[in-house]
Amino acid sequence: MAMECATGQHGDHDVYAAQCPCRAMLDLLANKWSALAIGALEQGPQRFGQLQRRLQGVSPKVLTQTLRRLEDSALLTRTIYPAVPLHVEYALTDLGHSAAVPLGLLRTWVEENLDNTPASPCRPRNT
């Protein structure tokens, strides 16, 4: 369902339209590391190392890129505290908290329905 652009900078917002700017935000939020980082930050501000431990399997490079994209899209803030060594925290913005709601529902759906999918590693295989 297309929505009229509130700023008037372009036509309708329609994620199905190839040139719609909505696509960039959808791409960002559909990325697994973005969805997981937003979920981890729902618990409150965290430092880089805390996020990396929570998001098992993410490389420092990919986490840095993900956090930068989320910050550039105003979904999170990066606060630097002057200390030795520097203390940097990441926190969700109001926009980030609003994105966390549907992403949380998606994560819950995945956890609850994994066993019902044919490719589930938890599902017994017919031999």
Side-chain angles (χ1 to χ4, degrees):
M1 177 175 144
M3 296 181 63
E4 185 176 326
C5 176
T7 65
Q9 294 179 352
H10 54 271
D12 295 337
H13 294 193
D14 181 359
V15 295
Y16 295 103
Q19 300 303 314
C20 183
C22 294
R23 288 272 182 105
M25 182 60 76
L26 181 62
D27 179 57
L28 175 61
L29 294 175
N31 175 280
K32 74 176 175 185
W33 296 121
S34 294
L36 293 173
I38 289 170
L41 288 168
E42 283 184 280
Q43 301 168 7
Q46 294 188 43
R47 295 176 72 169
F48 186 89
Q50 291 173 293
L51 285 169
Q52 189 175 14
R53 285 187 293 279
R54 179 75 173 115
L55 307 181
Q56 297 176 15
V58 69
S59 71
K61 178 182 176 181
V62 170
L63 181 55
T64 298
Q65 291 171 340
T66 300
L67 293 172
R68 285 182 183 156
R69 287 183 67 201
L70 292 169
E71 183 181 15
D72 290 345
S73 296
L75 295 168
L76 65 79
T77 58
R78 179 178 181 262
T79 305
I80 302 171
Y81 296 95
V84 178
L86 282 180
H87 178 118
V88 179
E89 283 188 347
Y90 299 89
L92 292 178
T93 62
D94 289 343
L95 187 63
H97 279 288
S98 70
V101 173
L103 291 173
L105 292 171
L106 180 60
R107 289 189 309 272
T108 300
W109 183 91
V110 169
E111 291 172 348
E112 290 175 352
N113 290 282
L114 180 64
D115 293 340
N116 299 324
T117 62
S120 171
C122 306
R123 187 178 177 141
R125 297 187 187 265
N126 295 334
T127 54

